[in-house]
Amino acid sequence: MADTILPHALPTALDGRGPLKLLSLDCFDTLLWRDTHAPRDLFGALPGITVPQRQWAEQRARTAAAVRRRQTEVSIAEIYAELLPNGTEAERAAAVRNEIDAEAAHCFAFRPTVALMREAHRRGMGVIIVSDTYLDADQLRGLIAASAGEDVAALIDRLFCSSVYGRSKSDGLYELVLKELGVAPHDILHIGDNKAADVGGVAPLGVQTLHLKQFDETTEQRLRLEAAVSAMLDPAPVQVATTHQPHRATLSAIEPSIADPAERFGFSTLGPVLGGFERWLTAEAEALRAERGGQVHYLFLMRDGHMPMLVHQASGANASAHAIEISRFTATAASLTSKEAIERYIELEIGGDLRALANQLLLPKPEVAQLMKGLPAATGRGAAFLREIRNPARMRRIIKSGEGFAERMIAHVRASVNPAPGDTLMLVDLGYNGSVQNDIDGLLSKAFGVHVAGRYLLLREQALTGLDKRGLLGAEHYDAYTLESLCSNVAVVEQLCTAAQGSVVDYKRDGTPIRKGNSIKSRQSAIRDRVQAGCLRFIREERELFVRHAVPDEATLWRRGAAAVLGRLMFLPMPQELAVLAEFEHDVNLGVDDTVALFDPAIAQRGLRQRGLFYMKGSERMYLPAELHGEGLSLKLALLASRRFGLTLKYADFIDRTISLPVIIADGRNVSTGHVTATPTHDGYYLAPIPVGDCRFSIGIQFGQLYDWLQVDSAVFMPVKDFLAEKQRPGRNEIEALPSLEGMEQTAPHLFRCADEAAFMMVPPPQRQNDQPMMLAVVFRPIAAREPVQAPAAAQLTDSMGARQ
């Protein structure tokens, strides 16, 4: 019979085992579970005590016990005697009470285990707890009652604690248990989560055992990474547990039964994030009702509000919820009702795509085409565009179009929800600047006589608008760099939450949305549907896994839990998640049809080899950490640290070794030699930047002087200004070099052998286009260095004799 059991199978653990007299259970992580990642994380909630101090005290207590009585099991009183060596008995007792209270606040009974205990009682069996713990039996029973309720504690007949007996299960505790019980070992089934203690320390005595495997290796790693990201994103404030993982029990009980990777992704990652968001939205709606009166209407902004709305419905909420189709494009269009609004919009967007800007200004397509055709080909395009828009007649037409657009949008909102004056319209979206609210807040307030409140999963305002905006993850609890780091990869969450429909671009007179065609391929929509189904399953089943008597601080619990899951997905995605997202594209939702790949590992690899970590710092990618998969955890952690703390590091800060590379410089008449400094980039590669002026110099790279074998990854020309730019964009304005080989042989793609010291690679300049200075960037990786040539022995002897004369 199998010696491992999964959590969801606990209620049937007694089936097929014949007659048993006793069910024996471990306590922590078997009956009582914590909503933190590790037991030590609870110590952060202890007043006036740091986590390391509490750990050091326990280590000292165990060392002292080993010396005094040759035992390593200790009581919590002994731990606090070490922690508070000068404290009074009352002070130590109060500190012990604080720790037990903290445990009670963060512990709950795992419902499948409770179901097993009830089944054991139904069969007439006894139930005991055998625990490796520094609590005694009375303390442990009190903790179970406080955290799970008296009815759960009443299911337990006896408790055996290692602190009382001086032995852990691995050191023979169960031998003493058997002596006291007087029950034959084969009449007992013991279950626990620690295989070494609960199987290895018990089964040899003849007791039937089962190892409760809480998580598979993938889930364990994901939770571990979430805890690591949490420590970086959200250093715990005073008297708060250092991690929060309220979804642990749900993952343990349900996730192993989900075979579809996409559904599993939605369950394990999107579910905890949006589950926390929904709890917070409910609390925010209640607060708005209490403060302002009237009805609070949930307006989920499509398309990204699609999944939060489904979660709201799946949670059983009966609040007024409506799907409202307002995109950035339509919100901006409805705001263009004055010359000042138009001027302000142009000021902010004039440096971008002028055709998209003209479309946003609601100009008819023929007029846009004519306007763009009349602009200068190069310099002065922005100024010329601005002059055309400021034409009084055109400005009047834009204002009239904006006013009409605003009327149609109001009709759309009225058709969906017809609020009474004094009600609140709560705009719900993923975030992250609240741009739509910025444009339509005043419009909605005036049209309906209501208060407008924006509630976002993630909020970091770029300007202090003074509007009623809040975020589950917002400035109230997180600093600006933390919020900015989370916003940098928000595209992945947007694509998982969106609806499978085109973005709204206008409305009919009755408010019916007019959408552009859905530019996202059907396969992506099908995968996303399965991810969303997994998320909804989490919402439906999450509350069924807890037996909880104590009332935790749910706001903190789920906010910090959601931040950890979201940050881990954004910066340390799992391979299984990337496999689901591999074909995803992102559409930019600006009234245009542009889509871009969500991530492209080939671009990241090229950028890393060409520029190293500096590429990461300046890169503008949709989901950069996904592109870094396969390049090592250290790079993703470096990216997280850089974004999270706003580090002002430069390329030079990453250089700790260089290569002096000999080169030949020729302009057709003169030839000279010199050296350039090659600097390390990534994975053993080096970058050699060689100025070539305005394309007048050929460059010979004398690899043979240094190497027998090497790889040459790339050799490209680019303008010096692009090479030195803060924002790196691999491939932009690059011209592939066309080198010739002298004494070098290419034996495989990118792999070269140098025949002798004279071997070199000759790179002619590209065709001259203008006078701008150019740079040749060569990326190479040394394979085998050339050994120095040793002088013959006779020559060495002659030199030696000559030296003595």
Side-chain angles (χ1 to χ4, degrees), residues 227-539:
V229 170
S230 179
M232 295 183 69
L233 289 182
D234 188 13
V238 177
Q239 289 186 228
V240 172
T242 56
T243 63
H244 287 88
Q245 292 184 337
H247 53 298
R248 288 175 63 84
T250 310
L251 300 192
S252 180
I254 307 299
E255 189 177 5
S257 66
I258 304 177
D260 176 26
E263 183 182 349
R264 190 166 183 165
F265 180 14
F267 184 88
S268 63
T269 301
L270 200 58
V273 173
L274 294 187
F277 187 35
E278 168 58 27
R279 276 177 162 82
W280 178 75
L281 287 175
T282 300
E284 287 296 303
E286 292 174 355
L288 285 167
R289 275 192 292 270
E291 177 186 353
R292 311 191 69 86
Q295 187 173 357
V296 176
H297 304 271
Y298 286 67
L299 271 59
F300 292 92
L301 299 182
M302 298 293 111
R303 296 172 299 164
D304 296 347
H306 172 69
M307 198 59 212
M309 185 180 71
L310 295 184
V311 167
H312 178 73
Q313 294 166 343
S315 69
N318 56 10
S320 173
H322 309 274
I324 300 295
E325 296 193 42
I326 302 177
S327 64
R328 281 182 292 167
F329 180 84
T330 61
T332 300
S335 73
L336 302 176
T337 57
S338 68
K339 183 176 183 296
E340 293 74 22
I342 296 169
E343 290 276 4
R344 177 60 177 159
Y345 177 72
I346 294 174
E347 287 174 5
L348 296 176
E349 302 295 333
I350 193 69
D353 184 340
L354 294 181
R355 184 177 294 276
L357 178 54
N359 289 329
Q360 179 66 83
L361 293 173
L362 306 177
L363 300 178
K365 288 187 177 180
E367 186 175 350
V368 171
Q370 183 180 10
L371 189 155
M372 298 303 295
K373 185 177 180 181
L375 295 180
T379 58
R381 285 173 62 83
F385 179 88
L386 187 57
R387 285 194 299 272
E388 291 292 332
I389 297 301
R390 284 174 169 168
N391 177 283
R394 180 171 279 135
M395 186 71 77
R396 287 193 294 271
R397 291 200 303 273
I398 295 174
I399 292 173
K400 184 176 180 181
S401 296
E403 291 172 341
F405 210 108
E407 291 175 3
R408 296 192 296 276
M409 178 181 288
I410 291 298
H412 169 65
V413 175
R414 181 173 285 113
S416 302
V417 53
N418 194 18
D423 283 354
T424 296
L425 298 183
M426 189 169 77
L427 307 180
V428 181
D429 198 1
L430 298 180
Y432 40 100
N433 182 46
S435 300
V436 167
Q437 184 181 354
N438 292 346
D439 287 333
I440 67 170
D441 190 295
L443 177 66
L444 296 179
S445 299
K446 182 178 179 181
F448 296 106
V450 297
H451 176 70
V452 177
R455 296 297 182 261
Y456 305 96
L457 172 67
L458 176 62
L459 178 66
R460 64 96 173 89
E461 282 200 279
Q462 293 177 329
L464 300 178
T465 62
L467 301 178
D468 183 355
K469 293 183 186 178
R470 293 190 68 196
L472 170 66
L473 310 179
E476 185 178 356
H477 297 103
Y478 297 92
D479 66 33
Y481 288 121
T482 298
L483 297 174
E484 185 62 28
S485 67
L486 292 174
C487 290
S488 63
N489 300 307
V490 75
V492 62
V493 184
E494 292 174 344
Q495 281 306 315
L496 292 173
C497 289
T498 191
Q501 64 187 40
S503 180
V504 61
V505 293
D506 204 344
Y507 309 92
K508 296 180 180 179
R509 293 180 63 85
D510 64 356
T512 302
I514 300 172
R515 307 184 188 109
K516 71 176 183 178
N518 185 8
S519 56
I520 298 299
K521 52 194 176 185
S522 60
R523 174 170 170 77
Q524 176 170 329
S525 295
I527 294 173
R528 183 175 53 214
D529 287 346
R530 286 154 44 206
V531 173
Q532 294 179 353
C535 175
L536 295 177
R537 182 174 179 181
F538 179 91
I539 302 303

Side-chain angles (χ1 to χ4, degrees), residues 731-794:
R732 181 179 179 181
N733 294 332
E734 291 183 0
I735 303 171
E736 287 287 339
L738 301 173
S740 60
L741 304 178
E742 299 291 338
M744 293 179 63
E745 175 189 4
Q746 184 171 359
T747 62
H750 302 287
L751 182 62
F752 295 85
R753 183 179 70 86
C754 299
D756 52 35
E757 286 185 327
F760 66 95
M761 175 181 287
M762 197 68 188
V763 186
Q767 184 175 357
R768 182 177 177 181
Q769 297 178 343
N770 50 46
D771 293 333
Q772 67 176 332
M774 299 289 285
M775 181 81 74
L776 170 63
V778 180
V779 177
F780 66 97
R781 177 160 64 177
I783 301 296
R786 182 171 299 284
E787 294 294 333
V789 177
Q790 296 292 329

Side-chain angles (χ1 to χ4, degrees), residues 478-721:
Y478 297 92
D479 66 33
Y481 288 121
T482 298
L483 297 174
E484 185 62 28
S485 67
L486 292 174
C487 290
S488 63
N489 300 307
V490 75
V492 62
V493 184
E494 292 174 344
Q495 281 306 315
L496 292 173
C497 289
T498 191
Q501 64 187 40
S503 180
V504 61
V505 293
D506 204 344
Y507 309 92
K508 296 180 180 179
R509 293 180 63 85
D510 64 356
T512 302
I514 300 172
R515 307 184 188 109
K516 71 176 183 178
N518 185 8
S519 56
I520 298 299
K521 52 194 176 185
S522 60
R523 174 170 170 77
Q524 176 170 329
S525 295
I527 294 173
R528 183 175 53 214
D529 287 346
R530 286 154 44 206
V531 173
Q532 294 179 353
C535 175
L536 295 177
R537 182 174 179 181
F538 179 91
I539 302 303
R540 290 191 297 267
E541 302 195 31
E542 175 265 321
R543 298 175 191 262
E544 300 302 317
L545 276 302
F546 300 84
V547 179
R548 194 158 206 160
H549 181 68
V551 179
D553 179 1
E554 278 211 333
T556 298
L557 180 67
W558 281 94
R559 183 184 67 250
R560 298 185 75 233
V565 175
L566 189 62
R568 199 274 313 151
L569 171 64
M570 287 184 168
F571 286 95
L572 305 178
M574 302 289 288
Q576 298 82 1
E577 294 166 338
L578 296 182
V580 172
L581 297 169
E583 297 185 34
F584 269 46
E585 295 178 335
H586 183 70
D587 54 341
V588 296
N589 190 22
L590 289 173
V592 295
D593 297 325
D594 295 342
T595 62
V596 295
L598 190 60
F599 62 96
D600 185 344
I603 291 178
Q605 185 183 75
R606 178 178 174 85
L608 285 169
R609 290 181 178 180
Q610 285 188 342
R611 302 306 297 271
L613 291 173
F614 187 63
Y615 151 76
M616 280 200 319
K617 180 176 180 289
S619 183
E620 296 178 332
R621 304 292 300 159
M622 301 304 299
Y623 192 14
L624 181 56
E627 298 183 345
L628 296 175
H629 181 65
E631 304 296 338
L633 178 63
S634 59
L635 284 183
K636 287 176 277 191
L637 287 176
L639 176 62
L640 170 56
S642 176
R643 297 272 170 85
R644 159 64 184 91
F645 297 105
L647 304 181
T648 57
L649 298 175
K650 299 291 185 181
Y651 179 48
D653 300 325
F654 297 102
I655 297 172
D656 56 4
R657 182 181 180 184
T658 61
I659 294 173
S660 182
L661 188 64
V663 295
I664 302 169
I665 304 169
D667 65 359
R669 294 172 301 187
N670 301 306
V671 176
S672 60
T673 61
H675 287 77
V676 296
T677 300
T679 53
T681 56
H682 174 66
D683 199 21
Y685 283 89
Y686 283 77
L687 167 66
I690 309 170
V692 295
D694 54 355
C695 300
R696 70 177 67 180
F697 297 109
S698 294
I699 303 297
I701 309 171
Q702 296 177 288
F703 287 123
Q705 289 192 23
L706 302 179
Y707 308 113
D708 286 328
W709 291 87
L710 76 153
Q711 288 177 281
V712 179
D713 180 74
S714 62
V716 298
F717 293 97
M718 68 181 73
V720 171
K721 62 180 179 62

Side-chain angles (χ1 to χ4, degrees), residues 76-77 80 91-101 135 139:
I76 193 170
Y80 276 89
E91 289 171 337
R92 293 174 182 173
V96 169
R97 186 72 258 161
N98 287 338
E99 179 165 332
I100 295 175
D101 288 346
L135 302 180
Q139 291 169 331

